[in-house]
Amino acid sequence: MPTALITGITGQDGSYLAEFLLKKGYNVVGMVRRTSTVNFHRVSHIQDKLTLVPGDLCDQISLIRILEEYKPTEVYNLAAQSFVQTSWAQPVFTGDVTALGVTRMLDAIRIVDPKIRFYQASSSEMFGKVVEVPQKETTPFYPRSPYGVAKVYGHWITVNYRESYDMHASSGILFNHESPRRGLEFVTRKITNHVAQIKMGLTDEIRLGNLDARRDWGFAGDYVQAMWLMLQQDKPDDFVVATGETHSVEEFLQEAFGSVDLDWHDYVVQDPRFMRPAEVDLLVGDPAKAGAKLGWEPTVSFAGLVKMMVEADMKLIQTGQTAM
């Protein structure tokens, strides 16, 4: 039975990946950072099947200890300071975790067992001020936030360890992927949660920033399969994982409010506080390489994704649960 280590297991992607790997027969070890706000709600339904261990990407000794004790055959590095807006308020912390944390994990693997297969969660935010549309694996990076810059570092250090130490280290350049497990700080979940609250009469407005920004939105549950497929290949490589479609925040609003028969114009207020210092206007990925080499393709449509998220938030309110 293979063993996989997932950093960031309590996040959206970590929870879906853990479910996926358990179904594949893996022993799943999840690294969790000891904080005053540790929240296991995304993995509570499978927590008895997981091995959760304390560790931190800022503490290489803890990474080495985990690798030596649990001897994983695969490591999925999903942990990061992953919220773009927060990266402007905490740029140094974002760099330490999201950039240098990757180096610490790669070096820990090199020291303990360089045969461990490694997945790095790269991001479409690396493309930033895009120089070509759609974006593919060879598109130059032009990040527009401390988060994007940190992800570029993490991406290239993965390439360097792969080429310098002959490690099976791959990066998935994932475009925006959402789900009912998305954090409330992200615009998609903020929208669907507010739509549910408005429909239930609990609030009467939602404040947002740029409505013209366009993203390639897919379902997180689809994207974790691509992560696993990358580590099953004979040779490591980098892959764009995306739907190939782009939609604006305004389109997301239309779908979300429309799913409960409301007009978004009646409830949305644009607020300068939610504008980024440097905006990324258009992201759309070309997943052709992932389709050809991994046999991967998305299964959930944009409309289906939005409807899924609104329905999940409606159910939370109707059952009296707290949205996370």
Side-chain angles (χ1 to χ4, degrees):
M1 185 179 291
T3 296
L5 170 65
I6 303 174
T7 72
I9 194 169
T10 59
Q12 169 188 252
D13 292 7
S15 65
Y16 280 111
L17 179 61
E19 286 178 343
F20 179 85
L21 294 177
L22 286 171
K23 290 177 182 176
K24 289 286 183 182
Y26 281 69
N27 288 318
V28 178
V29 179
M31 190 181 85
V32 293
R33 192 162 53 95
R34 299 307 306 168
T35 71
S36 60
T37 56
V38 173
N39 197 322
F40 298 108
H41 73 276
R42 292 187 182 93
V43 294
S44 59
H45 62 296
I46 54 172
Q47 195 167 339
D48 61 332
K49 300 176 183 177
L50 306 173
T51 301
L52 299 178
V53 297
D56 196 315
L57 288 178
C58 294
D59 178 14
Q60 189 172 21
I61 298 300
S62 70
L63 306 181
I64 291 172
R65 180 187 57 77
I66 292 169
L67 295 175
E68 287 179 338
E69 182 173 352
Y70 294 97
K71 298 178 172 54
T73 50
E74 299 172 1
V75 170
Y76 295 85
N77 185 44
L78 310 185
Q81 191 302 100
S82 60
F83 188 44
V84 173
Q85 194 73 30
T86 297
S87 77
W88 287 104
Q90 301 181 20
V92 176
F93 173 70
T94 299
D96 195 21
V97 177
T98 306
L100 293 178
V102 185
T103 313
R104 294 186 190 103
M105 179 60 85
L106 282 165
D107 216 45
I109 291 172
R110 181 186 66 82
I111 292 167
V112 175
D113 181 4
K115 293 185 177 63
I116 295 172
R117 297 192 172 198
F118 176 78
Y119 170 83
Q120 167 59 16
S122 288
S123 168
S124 60
E125 289 286 333
M126 301 189 304
F127 296 121
K129 189 176 180 180
V130 299
V131 298
E132 68 176 351
V133 178
Q135 294 89 53
K136 49 185 181 287
E137 291 80 7
T138 55
T139 301
F141 300 136
Y142 195 146
R144 298 275 282 171
S145 67
Y147 170 75
V149 172
K151 279 295 187 181
V152 169
Y153 179 100
H155 181 85
W156 280 117
I157 200 67
T158 300
V159 172
N160 274 259
Y161 269 70
R162 176 170 74 213
E163 295 178 350
S164 300
Y165 299 116
D166 195 28
M167 293 170 63
H168 196 295
S170 297
S171 287
I173 307 173
L174 271 58
F175 280 64
N176 292 65
H177 45 291
E178 319 298 320
S179 76
R181 300 180 192 173
R182 191 55 136 160
L184 288 170
E185 68 272 24
F186 291 87
V187 67
T188 50
R189 183 72 194 291
K190 180 178 179 179
I191 290 172
T192 62
N193 181 255
H194 275 75
V195 166
Q197 290 188 55
I198 290 169
K199 183 65 175 178
M200 302 297 287
L202 300 178
T203 190
D204 59 4
E205 72 172 22
I206 174 174
R207 291 181 172 267
L208 298 170
N210 182 13
L211 305 187
D212 296 322
R214 303 184 66 86
R215 296 290 185 272
D216 184 327
W217 277 303
F219 173 51
D222 285 341
Y223 286 34
V224 298
Q225 181 190 27
M227 300 176 188
W228 175 78
L229 286 168
M230 289 178 211
L231 298 199
Q232 311 316 306
Q233 305 305 304
D234 292 334
K235 294 182 179 180
D237 206 347
D238 305 321
F239 295 88
V240 163
V241 181
T243 69
E245 298 179 7
T246 186
H247 299 275
S248 66
V249 175
E250 182 175 324
E251 288 177 75
F252 199 102
L253 286 167
Q254 290 172 340
E255 287 286 347
F257 278 93
S259 69
V260 293
D261 299 318
L262 295 176
D263 184 344
W264 70 271
H265 295 90
D266 297 332
Y267 306 98
V268 176
V269 178
Q270 280 196 279
D271 190 329
R273 292 179 301 164
F274 298 112
M275 296 291 187
R276 294 182 183 178
E279 182 58 89
V280 175
D281 296 317
L282 172 62
L283 291 175
V284 55
D286 179 359
K289 181 178 175 181
K293 292 194 172 184
L294 303 179
W296 178 87
E297 60 182 23
T299 65
V300 178
S301 68
F302 173 70
L305 173 64
V306 179
K307 183 179 180 182
M308 175 201 304
M309 293 176 67
V310 172
E311 289 179 346
D313 276 323
M314 289 285 290
K315 185 177 180 181
L316 278 178
I317 293 174
Q318 290 166 348
T319 57
Q321 298 179 61
T322 302
M324 298 289 185

